[in-house]
């Protein structure tokens, strides 16, 4: 975006009719926005603020999407999961993937690392502003973050290891929250769950697991899919 408007939004509506709204904060630079609803027709709109909460459409275009495979939107960086080959998070993910034989082992190593080394930042959660975007390397270096930071960091690490990962945003009970889903070969999409004890999977929610030291009560809550409602997938 190279216009003069200070407040600009991008809206993407996919074939599932879900509308995703993004803030355009980087000017005259490349930013990736995912097409997470699969194949079909997408409506893309750029909206400029004209005062208060009012916006007008400055550009509108319909695009027909045909993905080479369904996993591509969940393997690459985007505005919410931003990383490059030089990111420290990518280097850490690669290190954690060493000496593993399966994708599930990679996921487990990265999950264990995040919940043991990242602490929940209560002050940040209380003061986070609208339009906040995670910085995966800052989260890794500081060792603190909010749910969005946890999920984005883990997603970046896993995608950099060619493991399709969805960053999901929605509600845990009545609390706005973020978590992830992963795709494991020969298993399929593991929606919001990860640990398999031989009988059942436990939901992969690195924020709750970290904040509550893997207590039996919180793991029971995490493992109950009824407590989670997905609003957006990024």
């Amino acid at each position: 975006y190279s216009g003069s408007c200070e407040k600009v939004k991008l809206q993407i509506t996919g074939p599932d009719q879900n509308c995703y709204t993004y803030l355009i904060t980087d000017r005259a630079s490349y930013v990736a926005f995912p097409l997470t609803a699969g194949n079909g027709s997408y409506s893309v709109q750029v909206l400029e603020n004209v005062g208060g909460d009012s916006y007008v459409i400055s550009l509108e275009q319909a695009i027909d999407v045909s993905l080479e495979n369904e996993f591509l939107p969940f393997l690459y960086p985007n505005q919410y999961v931003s990383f490059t080959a030089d990111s420290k998070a990518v280097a850490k993910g690669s290190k954690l993937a060493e000496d593993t034989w399966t994708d599930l082992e990679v996921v487990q190593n990265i999950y264990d690392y995040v919940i043991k080394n990242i602490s929940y930042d209560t002050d940040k959660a209380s003061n986070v502003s609208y339009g906040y975007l995670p910085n995966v390397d800052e989260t890794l270096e500081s060792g603190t973050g909010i749910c969005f930071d946890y999920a984005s960091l883990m997603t970046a690490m896993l995608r950099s290891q060619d493991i399709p990962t969805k960053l999901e945003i929605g509600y845990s009970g009545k609390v706005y929250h973020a978590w992830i889903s992963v795709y494991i070969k020969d298993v399929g999409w593991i929606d919001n769950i990860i640990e398999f004890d031989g009988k059942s999977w436990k939901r992969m929610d690195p924020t709750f697991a970290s904040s509550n030291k893997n207590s039996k009560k919180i793991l029971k809550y995490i493992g109950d899919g009824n407590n989670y409602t997905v609003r957006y997938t990024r």
Side-chain angles (χ1 to χ4, degrees):
Y1 178 80
S2 58
S4 59
C5 185
E6 292 185 2
K7 296 181 179 179
V8 187
K9 293 181 178 180
L10 173 70
Q11 287 191 335
I12 301 176
T13 303
D16 58 0
Q17 298 307 306
N18 286 334
C19 181
Y20 287 71
T21 300
Y22 302 90
L23 299 184
I24 297 179
T25 55
D26 294 323
R27 302 308 171 96
S29 61
Y30 174 84
V31 181
F33 299 93
L35 304 176
T36 58
N39 297 333
S41 179
Y42 287 75
S43 171
V44 179
Q45 295 179 329
V46 175
L47 300 95
E48 295 181 322
N49 182 263
V50 292
D53 295 326
S54 299
Y55 286 78
V56 297
I57 298 173
S58 62
L59 179 138
E60 184 173 20
Q61 185 170 344
I63 57 174
D64 291 323
V65 174
S66 180
L67 299 172
E68 290 184 10
N69 69 69
E70 63 179 292
F71 305 114
L72 291 182
F74 311 112
L75 285 170
Y76 288 90
N78 60 47
Q79 190 191 51
Y80 278 57
V81 186
S82 182
F83 61 93
T84 69
D86 297 325
S87 296
K88 294 180 180 179
V90 171
K92 190 64 180 180
S94 180
K95 183 69 175 178
L96 292 168
E98 289 181 357
D99 302 320
T100 58
W101 293 93
T102 66
D103 285 352
L104 188 56
E105 288 181 296
V106 177
V107 174
Q108 188 68 62
N109 286 355
I110 290 175
Y111 177 67
D112 286 344
Y113 177 84
V114 171
I115 65 172
K116 291 176 182 177
N117 292 277
I118 309 298
S119 300
Y120 192 73
D121 191 332
T122 305
D123 290 337
K124 183 177 182 179
S126 300
N127 297 286
V128 67
S129 59
Y130 173 72
Y132 171 77
L133 295 172
N135 183 311
V136 294
D137 281 355
E138 284 185 6
T139 302
L140 186 65
E141 290 180 1
S142 68
T144 62
I146 59 175
C147 60
F148 206 172
D149 298 316
Y150 278 80
S152 182
L153 172 60
M154 195 168 175
T155 300
M157 286 180 167
L158 290 168
R159 288 183 182 180
S160 72
Q161 297 306 306
D162 294 323
I163 297 176
T165 306
K166 296 177 181 178
L167 189 160
E168 297 180 322
I169 301 170
Y171 290 91
S172 172
K174 296 182 179 180
V175 179
Y176 204 50
H177 199 47
W179 58 93
I180 72 173
S181 296
V182 297
Y183 182 87
I184 302 296
K185 295 175 184 176
D186 300 324
V187 176
W189 280 106
I190 304 174
D191 292 327
N192 321 316
I193 44 185
I194 180 55
E195 294 182 345
F196 186 67
D197 61 7
K199 296 181 180 179
S200 62
W201 295 91
K202 291 188 176 71
R203 184 171 296 263
M204 182 194 298
D205 183 330
T207 310
F208 280 173
S210 173
S211 301
N212 294 276
K213 307 302 180 185
N214 280 325
S215 70
K216 290 183 179 179
K217 182 178 180 180
I218 200 66
L219 286 177
K220 181 179 179 180
Y221 183 89
I222 290 173
D224 183 355
N226 294 325
N227 296 315
Y228 289 74
T229 304
V230 178
R231 287 287 305 278
Y232 303 106
T233 300
R234 270 127 180 187

